[in-house]
Amino acid sequence: MSDAAAPPTGPAPAGTSLNRARRERELAALAGGEVVDLLVVGLGVTGAGVALDAASRGLTVAAIDAHDLAFGTSRWSSKLVHGGLRYLASGRVGVAFASMRERRVLLETVAPHLVRPLPMLLPGDGRRALLTGAGLRGAEVLSRAAGTRRATLPAPRRIGPAEARLLVPALRDTGEGAWLSWDGQLVDDARLVVALARTAAGLGARILTRCRAVTVAADGALVHDTVADAPVRLRARAVVNAAGVWAGGLVDGITLRPSRGSHVVLPASALGDPRGALTVPIGGSMSRYAFALPQPGGLVYLGITDEPVEGPVPDVPEPTETEIGFLLDVLNSALDTPVRRDQVLGAYAGLRPLLDDGRHSGADLSRRHAVLTSPSGVVTIVGGKLTTYRAMAADAVDTAVKVRTLAAGPSRTASLPLVGAGPVPPGAPPRLVARYGSEAAEVLACGDPEPVADGVPVSPAELRWGVLHEGALDVDDLLDRRTRVGLVPSRRAMAEPAARAALRP
Ligand SMILES: Cc1cc2nc3c(=O)[nH]c(=O)nc-3n(C[C@H](O)[C@H](O)[C@H](O)COP(=O)(O)OP(=O)(O)OC[C@H]3O[C@@H](n4cnc5c(N)ncnc54)[C@H](O)[C@@H]3O)c2cc1C
């Protein structure tokens, strides 16, 4: 197996390769008493963002996850890098502006290879169209104020029924027009996390999966290495708890009120292979919507629900049959030909890490992120959005630097492109370019580029790349996080033998 210094295949940028050998070497050094400036607990988008922010300021960093990169909520999102139109509608101009600024930074500088403009359709005439138009025009003013160029995201405009049905052919023919607006869409949320972690690794951060923090303190953590089934003590000058919906289990005084959001995975053909997203009001509401979001690989994700969750937090939440039925009903209210339950290819659910600050409740909670320092000196970063991970990470590192008196300058990540953000190699297959950006040719060089089976959009080359350079340690890492074939169980079963083959030394 390769290590970071000498990858056997493909010139991944120096030091950005993650793999089993590097994990073992770095974990051994830390277990041997090496002290880092910052230990980050959790490698979702927030923790990976914190690791990168700190490493790019020159701090020495170790970042651990109990399972894998993007194991938690970060892989179950709607994959939107959104401008926060809903926040604007409820008067939270500051939150919407921050989202729009982060959306621009991701689209234009940090991850242009992973985020693209998504046309979004909001059908309807009359009062709804008037109100929608007013909201979209306000959002447009704010988006330009946040520095977004028209070449990045076009201005919203009113379109007629024929153009609307060109974008979403299955849309019911009511003769009504629609608003067309644009937002950011990630090719895959887990890929953003992997890119953040590898970019941090390139700056020297130790990225260690399968390491569960058992107890944390301001000067380190007692960790269980689940590969070796052994305890390890990690020493640090500061600790950031970015364990998402599990963060409250590690420090006192933090209570989360998780809320489950579920999506249904549909064949794109059921909606006439849409080129844009369809927004459908829930029960005639002016503020709650379901979204049908076109995806690579001939899929549409339909979301989203909002169900409070009581009791122990599961590792992998499951959508209920009621949620699946509800989402289909909302979608079908806008279609000529209803999508049937037997057309559903898969479903997934994630838990929003909503912070109970004792002052806000319900939907309010999700709009906020908080940086909290426990009496023991551990800094916790929780809440917020995937879209705003970068600003959240900068806040958390600022706090850790201050509370623990570390020597570091201001955040640099707004101008730091992630691995893969460089120029695209000529002739690389578009599907690989969409997922790997400038690294597409190196991925291709890792093995057979053909799909592992008919209709299963993953190749042996990508699986091998995942093992050599992206820290995948087992079949689940490969199928459920480095690639997302796992979202369609029938495709996952067909890809399993190739994943097992990719893991052989
Ligand atoms: C259904 C849904 C849809 C969403 N859609 C969007 C969207 O479209 N756009 C958007 O901007 N936001 C969206 N969000 C919000 C966004 O997904 C989350 O805010 C974000 O992913 C949270 O990331 P995180 O890193 O804080 O948590 P997580 O991704 O959950 O990461 C926490 C990590 O900590 C690890 N961990 C836990 N305990 C320990 C321990 N003891 N030791 C070590 N590691 C540990 C876990 O394994 C996990 O990997 C959505 C949320 C949901 C639920």
Side-chain angles (χ1 to χ4, degrees):
M1 183 97 30
S2 73
D3 66 26
T9 317
T16 64
S17 294
L18 298 173
N19 48 54
R20 188 181 291 273
R22 178 174 182 169
R23 176 189 179 279
E24 280 169 17
R25 196 178 64 238
E26 294 187 341
L27 192 52
L30 293 167
E34 208 177 282
V35 183
V36 290
D37 291 324
L38 185 68
L39 172 66
V40 187
V41 179
L43 279 163
V45 73
T46 309
V50 170
L52 176 58
D53 189 282
S56 62
R57 296 189 202 204
L59 297 173
T60 54
V61 175
I64 60 172
D65 199 284
H67 304 276
D68 183 26
L69 307 177
F71 182 85
T73 303
S74 297
R75 70 175 150 141
W76 303 128
S77 81
S78 303
K79 290 121 184 77
L80 292 174
V81 172
H82 59 74
L85 189 60
R86 278 173 56 197
Y87 312 147
L88 201 58
S90 55
R92 297 178 180 91
V93 178
V95 184
F97 185 77
S99 283
M100 290 174 185
R101 188 190 55 218
E102 292 306 314
R103 180 179 65 179
R104 169 184 54 80
V105 167
L106 275 162
L107 272 160
E108 293 182 358
T109 309
V110 170
H113 58 310
L114 298 178
V115 191
R116 60 217 53 191
L118 173 71
M120 301 189 75
L121 210 59
L122 292 112
D125 278 344
R127 182 166 173 268
R128 177 175 299 281
L130 277 177
L131 287 173
T132 303
L136 289 176
R137 281 195 206 96
E140 170 70 2
V141 171
L142 212 56
S143 177
R144 299 303 156 216
T148 318
R149 291 178 290 127
R150 284 244 159 85
T152 303
L153 288 180
R157 65 185 171 91
R158 190 81 192 139
I159 60 173
E163 192 176 348
R165 278 162 62 90
L166 268 182
L167 276 170
V168 182
L171 185 64
R172 175 170 298 155
D173 190 3
T174 58
E176 293 184 336
W179 272 99
L180 172 63
S181 67
W182 297 78
D183 220 328
Q185 183 184 36
L186 279 159
V187 65
D188 174 1
D189 42 15
R191 290 222 63 75
L192 175 64
V193 179
V194 172
L196 285 165
R198 284 189 50 221
T199 309
L203 294 165
R206 280 80 155 180
I207 303 293
L208 305 166
T209 59
R210 307 297 197 285
C211 286
R212 173 183 294 282
V214 181
T215 57
V216 294
D219 60 355
L222 177 63
V223 166
H224 189 74
D225 168 4
T226 60
V227 173
D229 191 17
V232 182
R233 183 161 290 283
L234 300 183
R235 293 180 172 75
R237 296 181 185 89
V239 174
V240 169
N241 168 19
V245 81
W246 297 274
L250 289 172
V251 289
D252 289 335
I254 291 181
T255 310
L256 293 162
R257 300 263 176 255
S259 148
R260 188 177 58 244
S262 295
H263 288 85
V264 170
V265 182
L266 299 172
S269 55
L271 282 86
D273 294 307
R275 288 189 290 119
L278 175 62
T279 306
V280 188
I282 296 181
S285 160
M286 295 299 288
S287 58
R288 288 191 62 214
Y289 295 90
F291 297 96
L293 302 157
Q295 305 292 324
L299 300 175
V300 164
Y301 301 159
L302 168 67
I304 189 176
T305 57
D306 195 347
E307 297 290 325
V309 174
E310 304 293 339
V313 179
D315 277 355
V316 179
E318 297 284 344
T320 63
E321 201 50 50
T322 312
E323 287 176 289
I324 295 172
F326 166 78
L327 289 169
L328 288 179
D329 286 348
V330 175
L331 173 68
N332 287 337
S333 70
L335 305 185
D336 268 335
T337 310
V339 178
R340 301 181 315 273
R341 178 66 181 86
D342 64 10
Q343 290 176 288
V344 170
L345 297 174
Y348 66 86
L351 300 179
R352 298 176 184 86
L354 309 186
L355 179 68
D356 183 355
D357 61 4
R359 290 181 292 128
H360 297 81
S361 62
D364 245 13
L365 296 172
S366 65
R367 311 299 184 260
R368 304 159 58 80
H369 80 262
V371 180
L372 306 154
T373 307
S374 72
S376 67
V378 175
V379 173
T380 295
I381 169 86
V382 74
K385 285 273 156 192
L386 188 137
T387 304
T388 52
Y389 81 88
R390 198 199 59 81
M392 292 166 61
D395 278 1
V397 176
D398 282 346
T399 304
V401 163
K402 191 163 155 221
V403 171
R404 303 291 297 165
T405 348
L406 303 176
S411 177
R412 295 180 45 220
T413 50
S415 57
L416 187 68
L418 303 184
V419 287
V424 172
R431 194 181 67 76
L432 293 187
V433 171
R435 291 183 68 78
Y436 301 91
S438 60
E439 295 189 313
E442 283 102 88
V443 175
L444 205 58
C446 268
D448 181 356
E450 294 303 316
V452 296
D454 261 2
V456 182
V458 64
S459 63
E462 289 157 83
L463 296 169
R464 189 68 182 146
W465 173 266
V467 175
L468 296 178
H469 301 294
E470 296 184 338
L473 298 184
D474 66 16
V475 167
D476 296 351
D477 292 359
L478 283 173
L479 300 183
D480 298 328
R481 287 165 299 264
R482 300 310 175 278
T483 73
R484 303 305 298 276
V485 282
L487 287 173
V488 178
S490 57
R491 291 181 178 181
R492 191 186 197 285
M494 286 193 272
E496 257 197 64
R500 273 196 296 276
L503 285 154
R504 282 186 210 120

